[in-house]
């Protein structure tokens, strides 16, 4: 699975960003290349008062340690993206 973090959105002192799964497919036909792709949210990262947690589409809540195990460096990447917004 390929995943990425969408740019975070600030809400006052808090922020939210989506970890998304991406898929790209390219194939050739006799006349051209055909490409398609999709992107879907897997987990929403919530930054609340300098603590990060997550929630998935089913409502399951993830602590920072669980997020780090599933998506290494995701929290650090979100933090870096938030720093660029300031």
């Amino acid at each position: 699975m390929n995943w990425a973090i969408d740019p975070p959105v600030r809400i006052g002192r808090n922020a939210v960003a989506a970890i998304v799964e991406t898929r790209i497919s390219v194939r050739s036909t006799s006349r051209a290349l055909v490409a398609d792709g999709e992107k879907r949210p897997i987990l929403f990262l919530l930054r609340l008062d300098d603590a990060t947690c997550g929630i998935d589409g089913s409502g399951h809540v993830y602590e920072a340690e669980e997020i780090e195990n599933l998506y290494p460096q995701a929290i650090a990447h979100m933090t870096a993206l938030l720093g660029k917004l300031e």
Side-chain angles (χ1 to χ4, degrees):
M1 166 183 23
N2 293 320
W3 61 270
I5 296 180
D6 277 352
V9 175
R10 283 198 179 274
I11 305 162
R13 292 183 43 205
N14 303 316
V16 64
I19 295 178
V20 295
E21 177 181 23
T22 58
R23 184 193 60 77
I24 298 172
S25 174
V26 179
R27 58 196 175 283
S28 63
T29 67
S30 59
R31 296 182 159 189
L33 288 175
V34 178
D36 69 352
E38 69 179 33
K39 176 171 131 175
R40 67 177 187 89
I42 302 170
L43 185 72
F44 295 96
L45 296 178
L46 308 169
R47 175 51 87 51
L48 309 168
D49 295 325
D50 297 327
T52 302
C53 63
I55 188 167
D56 66 16
S58 300
H60 178 80
V61 176
Y62 294 78
E63 299 298 324
E65 185 176 311
E66 292 177 279
I67 296 167
E68 195 61 27
N69 287 334
L70 293 169
Y71 308 101
Q73 297 297 309
I75 294 172
H77 188 62
M78 179 184 180
T79 301
L81 289 171
L82 284 169
K84 291 179 182 180
L85 293 177
E86 295 176 350

